Amino acid sequence: MPIIAITPCKKPRDYDAAVRRAGATPKPLSLDDPAATALDGVDGLLLTGGDDVDPAIYGEPPHPTYDVSEPGRDAFEIDLVRRALDADLPVLAICRGLQVLNVAMGGTLIQHLPDISDRDEHREGVLHEVDLKPGSKVADAIGTNRPMCSSFHHQAIDRLAAGLVEAGWADDGTIEAVEVEGASWIIAVQWHPEDTAADDPSQQALFDALVRRSRS
Ligand code: MN
């Protein structure tokens, strides 16, 4: 059975369940693991949701909402992203995971979406549709170009990192999905597929695709 490494987060349960339904064994990572060996024997990587990336890493002063809640997580996950890129390991990055991927590759973030007055649909408990680029890996995995997504986030991609391509957008223009150019299967979504995957096969399909790619 493939082994999917899952980065440490405050609510691991739904990610674990989605990976198990996809037919893989979750390997929960710890911030105490050395990043150099955390991916040994692993077939795929799931970057989970969480709190904000330190804006100092992309050279911007912190928004008042920024707080260090999980010391060491930024450095650990950025290190893992670089190793996964080097190894062309299949990766599904979710919410904060998308933001970590963008920052690790040199991009920047909008630090507080509610400061942009017409972007108000990304709140907890609100679902919104996402327009996926036809033919993108994420659209192929999901099987539809306009999925309904549980999308709770107060940050989003500002400057897209070189090497990432946009693959999905909310109706207000917020980037909701990206893919690593030239990678076999490294995709990232701004929404939370684990929230609805138990009841929505199109969202579970993202985890299924990660596991399928990890087997090939
Ligand atoms: Mn959203």
Side-chain angles (χ1 to χ4, degrees), residues 118-203:
D118 59 349
R119 299 197 187 193
D120 64 352
E121 62 178 348
H122 310 281
R123 299 184 305 274
E124 187 166 20
V126 175
L127 277 72
H128 67 65
E129 288 179 301
V130 171
D131 259 325
L132 297 178
K133 185 162 85 184
S136 61
K137 290 186 173 74
V138 58
D140 286 351
I142 287 187
T144 166
N145 292 334
R146 198 161 164 84
M148 183 62 82
C149 300
S150 171
S151 185
F152 170 40
H153 52 111
H154 86 111
Q155 297 197 328
I157 289 176
D158 187 3
R159 191 184 73 233
L160 188 70
L164 285 176
V165 289
E166 299 182 26
W169 308 266
D171 289 344
D172 62 14
T174 302
I175 297 173
E176 293 273 351
V178 298
E179 305 179 352
V180 174
E181 212 168 17
S184 295
W185 203 85
I186 301 180
I187 73 171
V189 297
Q190 182 58 78
W191 71 87
H192 285 277
E194 78 283 2
D195 280 355
T196 54
D199 302 313
D200 181 348
S202 66
Q203 296 295 335

Side-chain angles (χ1 to χ4, degrees), residues 7 9 15 46-53 73 77 92-103 109 113 122-124 128 150-157 175-178 187-195 206-207:
T7 57
C9 64
Y15 299 102
L46 182 60
L47 288 166
T48 55
D51 293 330
D52 300 340
V53 176
R73 189 171 169 190
E77 291 187 328
L92 173 59
I94 293 174
C95 197
R96 169 190 156 90
L98 169 144
Q99 296 161 6
V100 167
L101 179 67
N102 187 52
V103 169
L109 302 175
L113 279 173
H122 310 281
R123 299 184 305 274
E124 187 166 20
H128 67 65
S150 171
S151 185
F152 170 40
H153 52 111
H154 86 111
Q155 297 197 328
I157 289 176
I175 297 173
E176 293 273 351
V178 298
I187 73 171
V189 297
Q190 182 58 78
W191 71 87
H192 285 277
E194 78 283 2
D195 280 355
L206 281 171
F207 300 94

